[in-house]
């Protein structure tokens, strides 16, 4: 047990027990083609009768049109308020399945069985649900906690390496914002060959602690957005082009840019900036971001949900393990940060 609704499990018997203890009128499972193939067979022996909906995988599918498919399926399958939706997949399935469940008949219960590292350490904890809209990430959504989150690292055995690497960015972020010792420890972890159980449990603990203090992101929860202000803008920018960047890959760039801003604005030590930069580039390599794209990226920052009064508020680091939120940053500084990323050798 980690905390409240999040449970670290080694066997799927726990899911069986949970389903038997609760008298759900109907059980539906949302999967994509990969989680249907690689993850569903692992839990099938522990499931009672259920219906299943497969959607296409990918961030491009996290939209209103897929929601319509999900709501239609729930309608035709006669989901009522006592039904349960099981989201079996990564952050896309969890965010969108949760959103559909939370809005269907004013709220049907759902549980998450996250199958990517990113969703195990981050997306399935904290109740943020939503879909992309009009080119903006997570533009429509709400806060609603799943009844349960069952985390089992066994799913990571089939996860492609680039997806594992993407999720690892959130683990590194957890250390950088709140736990210096954890940052030091995860720096020496080889993500291709890691002991995930302990890492996941520690990351979930950090995220849960922050979310519990501030469930709707009025204050301290904002620190989870370190690397995400410019990172999200970069991710969104590329979402609208033919180049694809995974969430964690974009966040890694964001963390380097925002570490630079931390050095400039909060006196983060230059040696720490170099350490963070070298480490992240060592794992994620460098992406070439054209200067001609800077303005577009910055315009996405201004649209960020975390802003108020037309200022772009950043989370910056005073030192590794200590983040400060609501630091206003202007466009020139953002350009300088993107330039730092562009020119650093890492
Ligand atoms: N709600 C939150 O707090 C929160 C936090 C962070 C990210 N997110 C969201 O999460 C999404 C990204 O999540 P993600 O990285 O999990 O991506 P994802 O859901 O797209 O999954 C990544 C890929 O891995 C495949 N896959 C999943 N599990 C697998 C397994 N065990 N074996 C083989 N293949 C598998 C999927 O089919 C997909 O192709 C983004 O939409 C992001 O906005 C949400
Ligand atoms: Zn993230």
């Amino acid at each position: 047990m980690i905390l409240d609704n999040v449970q670290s499990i080694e066997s799927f018997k726990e899911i069986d027990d949970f389903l038997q203890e609760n008298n759900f009128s109907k059980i539906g499972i949302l999967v994509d083609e990969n989680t249907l193939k690689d993850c569903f067979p692992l839990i099938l022996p522990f499931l009672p009768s259920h219906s299943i909906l497969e959607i296409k995988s990918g961030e491009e599918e996290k939209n209103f049109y897929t929601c319509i498919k999900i709501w239609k399926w729930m309608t035709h399958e006669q989901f009522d308020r006592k039904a349960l939706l099981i989201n079996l997949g990564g952050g896309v399935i969890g965010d969108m399945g949760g959103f559909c469940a939370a809005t269907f008949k004013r709220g049907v219960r759902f549980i998450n069985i996250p199958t990517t590292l990113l969703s195990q350490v981050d997306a399935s904890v904290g109740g943020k649900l939503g879909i992309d809209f009009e080119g903006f990430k997570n533009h429509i959504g709400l806060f609603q906690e799943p009844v349960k989150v069952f985390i089992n690292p066994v799913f990571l055995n089939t996860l492609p390496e680039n997806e594992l690497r993407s999720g690892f960015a959130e683990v590194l972020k957890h250390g950088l914002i709140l736990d210096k010792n954890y940052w030091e420890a995860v720096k020496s972890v080889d993500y291709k060959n890691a002991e995930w159980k302990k890492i996941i449990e520690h990351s979930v603990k950090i995220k849960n602690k922050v979310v519990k203090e501030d469930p709707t992101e009025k204050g301290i929860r904002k620190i989870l957005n370190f690397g995400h202000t410019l990172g999200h803008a970069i991710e969104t920018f590329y979402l609208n082009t033919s180049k694809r960047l995974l969430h964690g890959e974009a966040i890694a760039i964001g963390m380097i840019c925002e570490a630079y801003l931390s050095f400039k604005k909060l006196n983060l030590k230059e040696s720490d900036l170099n350490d963070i930069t070298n480490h992240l580039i060592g794992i994620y390599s460098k992406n070439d971001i054209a200067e001609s794209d800077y303005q577009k990226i910055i315009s996405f920052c201004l649209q960020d949900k975390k802003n108020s009064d037309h200022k772009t508020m950043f989370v910056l680091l005073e030192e590794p393990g200590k983040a400060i939120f609501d630091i206003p940053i202007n466009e020139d500084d953002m350009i300088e940060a993107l330039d730092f990323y562009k020119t650093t050798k890492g």
Side-chain angles (χ1 to χ4, degrees):
M1 188 72 164
I2 301 170
L3 275 172
D4 300 333
N5 61 340
V6 186
Q7 199 167 336
S8 168
I9 57 170
E10 277 165 38
S11 124
F12 294 110
K13 176 83 177 57
E14 313 254 2
I15 298 177
D16 183 21
D17 293 346
F18 166 79
L19 294 174
Q20 288 197 26
E21 280 161 20
N22 291 275
N23 204 7
F24 297 110
S25 57
K26 177 103 210 162
I27 293 172
I29 303 178
L30 184 65
V31 292
D32 63 31
E33 72 279 8
N34 299 316
T35 64
L36 178 62
K37 177 168 77 64
D38 292 327
C39 308
F40 183 65
L42 273 62
I43 64 165
L44 181 60
F46 302 91
L47 294 178
S49 96
H50 56 271
S51 58
I52 185 158
L53 178 69
E54 177 191 340
I55 58 169
K56 275 195 228 140
S57 66
E59 184 71 29
E60 315 77 49
E61 303 296 320
K62 192 175 146 183
N63 60 38
F64 188 62
Y65 300 100
T66 315
C67 289
I68 291 175
K69 281 187 203 153
I70 299 170
W71 286 319
K72 275 190 174 172
W73 167 66
M74 292 168 95
T75 304
H76 295 150
E77 290 292 333
Q78 297 176 330
F79 271 55
D80 61 19
R81 297 280 294 275
K82 289 188 168 160
L84 179 78
L85 178 69
I86 300 179
N87 296 316
L88 180 67
V92 168
I93 291 277
D95 281 14
M96 184 164 48
F99 173 70
C100 288
T103 47
F104 187 80
K105 296 192 177 174
R106 297 202 185 88
V108 161
R109 283 169 292 177
F110 62 98
I111 65 172
N112 286 346
I113 306 181
T115 61
T116 62
L117 180 61
L118 189 130
S119 56
Q120 296 192 342
V121 294
D122 193 349
S124 357
V125 184
K128 278 191 183 177
L129 312 172
I131 52 168
D132 305 336
F133 189 67
E134 291 283 282
F136 295 107
K137 274 199 48 90
N138 305 325
H139 205 56
I140 310 285
L142 70 156
F143 287 97
Q144 173 82 62
E145 280 289 340
V147 187
K148 277 269 182 197
V149 182
F150 291 105
I151 301 182
N152 190 333
V154 71
F155 291 120
L156 305 182
N157 295 341
T158 54
L159 192 66
E161 202 174 287
N162 62 336
E163 296 289 352
L164 208 53
R165 191 177 73 148
S166 170
F168 193 51
E170 304 286 2
V171 169
L172 296 166
K173 179 196 78 180
H174 289 144
L176 282 173
I177 57 170
L178 215 67
D179 188 338
K180 190 173 181 169
N181 291 338
Y182 189 45
W183 162 244
E184 291 301 332
V186 289
K187 269 201 303 188
S188 58
V189 165
D190 171 10
Y191 74 88
K192 291 177 202 157
N193 202 0
E195 274 288 332
W196 288 116
K197 189 172 184 300
K198 274 212 175 106
I199 295 173
I200 293 166
E201 288 186 0
H202 196 79
S203 265
V204 168
K205 226 178 189 164
I206 291 179
K207 177 149 187 192
N208 238 329
K209 179 172 177 284
V210 175
V211 169
K212 273 183 120 177
E213 264 182 64
D214 174 23
T216 55
E217 206 169 297
K218 302 281 187 288
I220 183 79
R221 183 168 180 169
K222 293 179 186 176
I223 67 169
L224 292 167
N225 296 321
F226 174 65
H228 282 61
T229 312
L230 273 163
H232 246 162
I234 291 166
E235 185 182 11
T236 306
F237 172 75
Y238 286 113
L239 198 61
N240 295 294
T241 70
S242 56
K243 181 177 159 116
R244 279 281 168 274
L245 267 190
L246 295 179
H247 180 74
E249 293 168 340
I251 287 342
I253 303 174
M255 287 196 282
I256 294 173
C257 294
E258 295 175 21
Y260 174 78
L261 291 169
S262 308
F263 160 69
K264 215 185 147 194
K265 300 284 174 190
L266 293 188
N267 297 324
L268 176 75
K269 279 194 215 142
E270 192 165 12
S271 54
D272 285 327
L273 168 64
N274 292 338
D275 181 44
I276 294 168
T277 306
N278 293 344
H279 198 73
L280 289 172
I281 288 181
I283 300 174
Y284 297 92
S285 309
K286 266 186 71 175
N287 276 279
D288 189 29
I289 303 177
E291 267 172 67
S292 53
D293 294 334
Y294 286 3
Q295 272 314 324
K296 198 83 208 271
I297 291 170
I298 288 170
S299 72
F300 283 119
C301 269
L302 300 173
Q303 268 274 345
D304 196 298
K305 291 180 285 303
K306 279 79 110 184
N307 289 328
S308 51
D309 300 336
H310 303 289
K311 281 187 218 131
T312 305
M313 296 298 187
F314 277 70
V315 177
L316 300 181
L317 302 177
E318 249 178 13
E319 56 185 85
K322 191 156 184 228
I324 313 273
F325 58 88
D326 280 349
I327 313 279
I329 295 292
N330 67 30
E331 278 191 44
D332 288 346
D333 288 328
M334 286 189 238
I335 290 173
E336 209 177 303
L338 288 165
D339 260 337
F340 170 78
Y341 176 75
K342 194 173 184 62
T343 52
T344 187
K345 299 260 183 310

